[in-house]
Amino acid sequence: MADNARARKLADRIQVVVAETLDRRIKDPRLGFVTITDARVTGDLREATVFYTVYGDDEERAASAAALESAKGILRSEVGRQTGVRFTPTLSFVPDALPDTAKTIDDLLDKARAKDAEVREASTGKTYAGDADPYRKPEDEDEGEASE
């Protein structure tokens, strides 16, 4: 069982090797604007999960996923050659959900800003119910004791 630091270092190296290999060696026309965002390796260094994003529509994403699956053997052999580990980890490619999650958060923040603007607009020109300063002051307490 390898330590976590070694797994992290190997994952970082796999991310770089896969990205460089896709950029320089793989000439598949189905690969669009693919960005390798992250890589994770299991504790026993046997399996690596590579996360990627694709700029484009669903059809381009599906084509890029198929191209990555077909280039998996070349990528794995390049990872083994450049990392020098005893057992080259098997690669699996997973589309990264980070851009979709970020878009959802941005949409929610826009809705919150719109609601804040509505509340600000509704409160413009309004006054508080009651006195401007609702707290008792020491002179108010003196007047209350004198009237008793």
Side-chain angles (χ1 to χ4, degrees):
M1 185 61 90
D3 61 348
N4 287 334
R6 183 170 181 205
R8 277 195 309 270
K9 285 179 186 178
L10 182 61
D12 290 343
R13 185 69 189 136
I14 287 172
Q15 179 181 355
V16 170
V17 169
V18 168
E20 287 177 352
T21 305
L22 285 175
D23 188 38
R24 295 189 179 130
R25 281 191 61 193
I26 308 296
K27 301 297 180 198
D28 194 335
R30 296 177 293 176
L31 280 175
F33 293 108
V34 175
T35 303
I36 305 300
T37 57
D38 194 16
R40 295 188 186 146
V41 178
T42 58
D44 60 357
L45 306 179
R46 297 282 179 154
E47 298 174 11
T49 305
V50 179
F51 295 92
Y52 68 95
T53 59
V54 178
Y55 181 75
D57 58 359
D58 291 336
E59 184 178 314
E60 291 173 347
R61 289 181 187 140
S64 294
L68 286 172
E69 285 299 317
S70 69
K72 190 183 285 189
I74 295 170
L75 293 171
R76 183 173 182 220
S77 64
E78 191 66 24
V79 165
R81 190 178 67 75
Q82 289 192 24
T83 57
V85 292
R86 179 180 293 171
F87 181 81
T88 303
T90 58
L91 301 177
S92 62
F93 293 95
V94 177
D96 199 353
L98 186 67
D100 297 331
T101 305
K103 182 171 176 14
T104 303
I105 290 172
D106 283 342
D107 292 343
L108 291 173
L109 287 172
D110 288 341
K111 285 181 185 179
R113 283 188 199 101
K115 281 289 195 188
D116 286 347
E118 286 178 27
V119 169
R120 195 174 309 114
E121 185 68 31
S123 66
T124 303
K126 306 293 184 195
T127 60
Y128 293 105
D131 297 331
D133 188 11
Y135 300 106
R136 286 188 169 176
K137 304 237 181 324
E139 60 265 3
D140 293 341
E141 292 174 5
D142 293 339
E143 290 175 9
E145 291 175 2
S147 62
E148 288 178 9

